[in-house]
Amino acid sequence: VNYFKMRAVQGVLLLSSLFVLSNASCPNQCSGHGSCGAHDMCTCSRGYQGPDCSLRTCPFGRAHVDTSKGDMNFDLQVG
């Protein structure tokens, strides 16, 4: 009788642990800016980064201050 009780308790624990693992999710549901992938990691949409895709990615390229006192016509000559 004790054997069957122990097996029943083990079965319940196993099922409950599987339920918890299956309900694991990505942090903050990827903030609505990505998709939840393998190992509960976010794959961020373009323009977002971070573990939960909540951080904006700055655009890359020339900034308005890159040539404020130098190469005004982009000919690589300063002065």
Side-chain angles (χ1 to χ4, degrees):
V1 172
N2 284 337
Y3 174 77
F4 292 112
K5 282 184 180 180
M6 186 172 67
R7 294 299 287 178
V9 168
Q10 287 176 343
V12 168
L13 290 175
L14 177 66
L15 288 175
S16 64
S17 66
L18 289 175
F19 178 74
V20 168
L21 290 175
S22 68
N23 281 338
S25 62
C26 289
N28 201 22
Q29 286 78 38
C30 300
S31 302
H33 302 293
S35 59
C36 189
H39 309 292
D40 298 327
M41 294 182 69
C42 293
T43 301
C44 300
S45 301
R46 185 179 177 126
Y48 293 91
Q49 63 183 354
D52 66 348
C53 301
S54 64
L55 303 173
R56 292 290 309 240
T57 302
C58 292
F60 296 97
R62 298 186 74 91
H64 70 281
V65 295
D66 285 347
T67 59
S68 62
K69 293 184 179 180
D71 187 12
M72 299 306 283
N73 62 358
F74 301 105
D75 66 356
L76 302 178
Q77 300 292 322
V78 176

